[in-house]
Amino acid sequence: MHLNSQLETISRSDLNSLQLERLKKAVKSASSTPYYSKIFNENKVKPDSITTIEHIKDLPFTTKNDLRLSYPDGMVAADKSEIVRLHASSGTTGKSTVIFYTKEDIDNWTSLVARSIYSTGIRKTDVFQNMMGYGLFTGGLGLHYGAEQIGCIVIPSSTGNSLKQIELMQDFHTTAIHITPSYALHLVEVIQEQGINPHDLTVKKAFLGAEPYSDATKNKLEELWGFDAYNMYGLSEMNGPGVASDCSRKSGMHVAEDYYILEIIDPETEEQLPDGEEGELVLTHINRAAMPIIRYRTRDLTRIIPEGCECGRTHRRIERIKGRTDDMMIVSGVNVFPSQIESVLMNIPEV
């Protein structure tokens, strides 16, 4: 089942046409901002020269540091009277990166999140308990609005207060939760300490995100809780959750290609890599009025899955994020990611 069959099963040729149309508009819009106007001039980029999707390679990359340099509003393309909300990253390593939204942007983002969770089987009969933080972080409000659009009862329980979370799950028969993997591991321990068998709860689906985790952790959570866990990928620079997510097949995350143009590049040479090869994910937001972002280097490592999905959706899938280009360690000449260490730890029953 698809929430929007026309867009989710669109032919590749029609999708390419839609992407090109939206890319042209996004580049033109970006060129009106103080930041991109300067960057495009320095790189001799003329918006009218974008006539094919392949021309995206002629556009400069955008990095998190660029967002900080343009703080607070150097990338805003819409009139301030049209802005209705802003979200921001934590800013733990410097100035926060701030993203602005018009009313249309919020509506589009809500539809994307609704599409993502609907693809896993969420329906209006579900009770959705949102255990993510609300506020400047995008995860809380993003999933809240999306689940409400489908028609779920949404419990905005936010983070922490484990005993209250358990009480809400029991009293209102929660069927789906949105939670960080680390808190899910902690909460299931508290549930067991209360003498409750997690498998006796009504929770059947969990949406995991907001932090890196391994497949081993996901599998362990499914085993402990007795729910189906779904990967969801997002980043505040691209709206938040809803950029890519598992469907009911759980065989890779579909990227919403009507909103984002995805590329995989070699992080060293910055050259585009073919489908199937692992590299750094680069995203261009092609359908946001307030703040289009061009060729954003996410630093996240993944690959495009070349094969089609059994669910019938034509938007390409990416593998769950392996790690980040900036968290790789070299041990005795071998590249090692924290997620690989986590995988080994999670195979030890006592952990």
Side-chain angles (χ1 to χ4, degrees):
M1 291 280 290
H2 309 111
L3 193 58
N4 188 332
S5 285
Q6 187 179 354
L7 278 172
E8 292 179 76
T9 61
I10 188 172
S11 71
R12 288 307 303 182
S13 60
D14 285 348
L15 180 58
N16 287 343
S17 298
L18 178 63
Q19 284 187 323
L20 178 58
E21 176 192 325
R22 289 182 169 178
L23 175 63
K24 287 178 177 177
K25 188 177 175 182
V27 171
K28 189 172 183 182
S29 176
S31 68
S32 71
T33 69
Y35 176 78
Y36 278 116
S37 172
K38 177 174 176 287
I39 293 300
F40 285 177
N41 280 335
E42 287 174 0
N43 288 273
K44 297 182 171 52
V45 169
K46 291 184 169 52
D48 293 342
S49 65
I50 306 299
T51 56
T52 70
I53 288 288
E54 285 67 36
H55 285 151
I56 198 167
K57 288 192 288 190
D58 301 331
L59 299 170
F61 291 108
T62 306
T63 66
K64 187 177 278 286
N65 193 51
D66 294 329
L67 283 160
R68 292 190 178 120
L69 290 172
S70 68
Y71 182 93
D73 55 10
M75 287 188 187
V76 175
D79 190 273
K80 274 198 174 165
S81 64
E82 299 298 314
I83 305 293
V84 299
R85 194 195 297 174
L86 66 84
H87 280 283
S89 70
S90 60
T92 49
T93 55
K95 248 333 181 188
S96 292
T97 55
V98 179
I99 305 299
F100 295 83
Y101 306 77
T102 65
K103 172 71 167 60
E104 183 185 9
D105 294 336
I106 294 291
D107 291 345
N108 284 335
W109 178 25
T110 298
S111 295
L112 273 189
V113 175
R115 181 201 295 182
S116 296
I117 61 178
Y118 190 91
S119 73
T120 68
I122 292 291
R123 298 295 181 265
K124 64 186 296 182
T125 50
D126 280 292
V127 178
F128 191 97
Q129 191 163 328
N130 195 5
M131 302 186 201
M132 288 287 192
Y134 283 66
L136 289 174
F137 169 62
T138 54
L141 286 170
L143 266 288
H144 182 116
Y145 274 55
E148 272 189 351
Q149 186 175 97
I150 289 173
C152 303
I153 294 174
V154 179
I155 305 173
S157 58
S158 194
T159 54
N161 200 345
S162 297
L163 294 179
K164 189 66 177 176
Q165 301 279 12
I166 297 165
E167 180 186 302
L168 290 167
M169 282 189 273
Q170 290 181 307
D171 292 350
F172 299 101
H173 308 294
T174 300
T175 59
I177 60 175
H178 180 214
I179 192 168
T180 62
S182 56
Y183 186 49
L185 284 167
H186 169 72
L187 186 58
V188 76
E189 280 189 15
V190 180
I191 289 168
Q192 290 165 335
E193 285 167 7
Q194 299 304 305
I196 302 164
N197 181 350
H199 288 236
D200 290 339
L201 296 171
T202 51
V203 179
K204 299 301 174 206
K205 295 182 190 297
F207 298 94
L208 306 176
E211 62 190 25
Y213 59 97
S214 63
D215 275 331
T217 296
K218 179 184 170 186
N219 295 339
K220 185 158 192 152
L221 285 170
E222 289 186 322
E223 179 189 323
L224 290 168
W225 280 84
F227 56 37
D228 277 311
Y230 298 92
N231 298 317
M232 180 170 278
Y233 175 74
L235 56 164
S236 59
E237 296 84 357
M238 292 291 126
N239 276 358
V243 174
S245 61
D246 281 344
C247 65
S248 57
R249 298 301 193 277
K250 295 202 286 188
S251 59
M253 297 183 290
H254 291 273
V255 176
E257 290 194 84
D258 49 331
Y259 281 74
Y260 307 99
I261 293 177
L262 71 151
E263 305 168 71
I264 300 293
I265 65 164
D266 181 313
E268 300 297 326
T269 66
E270 300 185 345
E271 292 298 310
Q272 281 185 356
L273 297 174
D275 287 7
E277 282 195 33
E278 186 181 277
E280 180 184 343
L281 177 64
V282 172
L283 292 167
T284 298
H285 201 316
I286 53 174
N287 200 23
R288 187 164 61 194
M291 202 167 165
I293 293 184
I294 309 299
R295 298 194 86 195
Y296 184 70
R297 291 191 61 168
T298 67
R299 299 291 179 189
D300 291 325
L301 292 168
T302 184
R303 72 179 187 98
I304 294 169
I305 300 169
E307 303 80 23
C309 184
E310 291 176 359
C311 74
R313 289 173 179 82
T314 50
H315 296 214
R316 287 176 299 171
R317 294 165 294 154
I318 55 172
E319 280 190 344
R320 60 178 306 289
I321 304 302
K322 177 182 178 180
R324 292 176 57 79
T325 58
D326 46 11
D327 70 6
M328 184 185 77
M329 300 170 282
I330 300 176
V331 182
S332 301
V334 178
N335 295 349
V336 179
F337 291 92
S339 59
Q340 293 169 308
I341 298 168
E342 183 185 313
S343 291
V344 174
L345 288 172
M346 282 301 160
N347 284 325
I348 303 169
E350 292 79 13
V351 175

